[in-house]
């Protein structure tokens, strides 16, 4: 499917067909596509727990306000933003930049200082925002790529983060920006038309912010 068509036709699907699994390798393929998302300095501060086992989905549903789609979708991804992504991935990123000629070896120290300086202390709000914004882009790319291959999705932030962390062994310092369910629309379900979208002139201004 064309990208523009995938963007236009993507919807948050409430009812998944529990009898229709994802094709083999589809999840891996979509995760690989999402992994091409842009990120600050290429630091990729995301992690994913893919929940596909029926019992694990039941547990996840319990942590996610009992949302039926969590159990019905063949896969639900716990998107995890990692504030430690800076330290974890910085050296490999700089190595790659150096190898590919993005920077000269003598620039390496300046770049690592810039990254560490820009994103602040590990537990700072800046650092948490860094992790969440990049992981949200990963999630969006996943949803568009899914639609492009005929797979429907549903993002969710209706969940108890502490419950998910406890049940899925996610360390306390991580953040869960959203869950994303993936699968196929339940047969016989008709989607309502897309709801209200604001007109651009309500929220877009040029050159300077307009109240
Ligand atoms: C970050 C995020 C969290 C959301 N959380 C939920 C949720 O917990 N439960 C739900 O039913 N819908 C949730 N939604 C879906 C939105 O309600 C839906 O995207 C919106 O109504 C627009 O519909 P559309 O995606 O079909 O255009 C969420 C969407 C986003 C982007």
């Amino acid at each position: 499917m064309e990208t523009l068509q995938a963007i236009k036709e993507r919807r948050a699907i409430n009812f998944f067909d529990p009898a229709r699994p994802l094709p083999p390798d589809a999840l891996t393929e979509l995760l690989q596509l999402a992994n091409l998302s842009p990120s600050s300095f290429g630091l990729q501060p995301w992690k994913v727990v893919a929940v596909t086992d029926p019992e694990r989905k039941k547990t996840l549903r319990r942590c996610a306000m009992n949302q039926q789609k969590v159990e019905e979708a063949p896969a639900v991804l716990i998107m995890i933003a990692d504030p430690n992504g800076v330290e974890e991935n910085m050296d490999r990123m700089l190595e790659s930049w150096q190898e590919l000629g993005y920077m000269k070896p003598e620039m390496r120290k300046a770049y690592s200082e810039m990254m560490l300086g820009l994103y602040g202390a590990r537990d700072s709000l800046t650092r948490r925002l860094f992790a969440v914004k990049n992981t949200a882009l990963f999630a969006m790319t996943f949803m568009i790529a899914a639609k492009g291959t005929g797979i429907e999705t549903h993002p969710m932030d209706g969940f108890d983060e502490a419950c998910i962390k406890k049940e899925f062994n996610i360390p306390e310092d991580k953040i869960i920006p959203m869950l994303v369910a993936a699968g196929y629309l339940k047969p016989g379900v008709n989607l309502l038309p897309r709801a209200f979208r604001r007109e651009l002139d309500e929220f877009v201004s040029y050159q300077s912010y307009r109240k």
Side-chain angles (χ1 to χ4, degrees), residues 68-138:
Q68 186 178 335
K69 50 191 166 271
V70 174
E71 205 175 333
E72 287 188 342
V76 185
L77 307 184
I78 306 174
M79 298 294 181
I80 300 164
D82 186 1
N84 291 325
V86 180
E87 285 79 4
E88 197 164 304
N89 302 326
M90 186 172 74
D91 284 342
R92 283 178 296 171
M93 197 62 211
L94 290 171
E95 198 61 46
S96 147
W97 280 2
Q98 202 173 307
E99 257 175 49
L100 296 170
Y102 284 52
M103 66 168 195
K104 296 202 164 69
E106 56 270 28
M107 289 302 292
R108 195 167 170 146
K109 189 162 174 286
Y111 268 114
S112 40
E113 282 169 6
M114 202 194 305
M115 291 181 198
L116 292 167
L118 189 58
Y119 299 120
R122 281 176 193 251
D123 60 351
S124 63
L125 177 62
T126 312
R127 189 65 88 92
R128 292 167 71 79
L129 290 173
F130 147 81
V132 168
K133 66 184 153 187
N134 287 293
T135 305
L137 291 177
F138 176 92

Side-chain angles (χ1 to χ4, degrees), residues 34-51:
N35 202 32
L36 300 176
S37 302
S39 60
S40 318
F41 285 105
L43 286 167
Q44 308 157 56
W46 45 70
K47 293 185 193 277
V48 178
V49 176
V51 186

Side-chain angles (χ1 to χ4, degrees), residues 197-205 209-210:
R197 285 292 199 273
R198 296 176 299 160
E199 295 296 335
L200 294 193
D201 62 8
E202 199 186 311
F203 64 93
V204 179
S205 60
Y209 185 80
R210 188 192 65 211

Side-chain angles (χ1 to χ4, degrees), residues 7-14 64-65 67 69-70 136 139-140 143 153-159 177-180 191-197:
I7 292 169
K8 285 178 186 161
E9 293 183 11
R10 180 216 56 82
R11 296 294 309 281
I13 298 299
N14 259 309
M65 301 174 74
Q67 297 191 65
K69 50 191 166 271
V70 174
M140 190 70 235
M143 291 189 279
T153 56
H154 196 123
M156 283 166 268
D157 57 13
F159 56 81
M178 72 188 88
L179 308 178
V180 176
L191 288 185
L192 294 171
R194 202 193 282 281
F196 165 72
R197 285 292 199 273

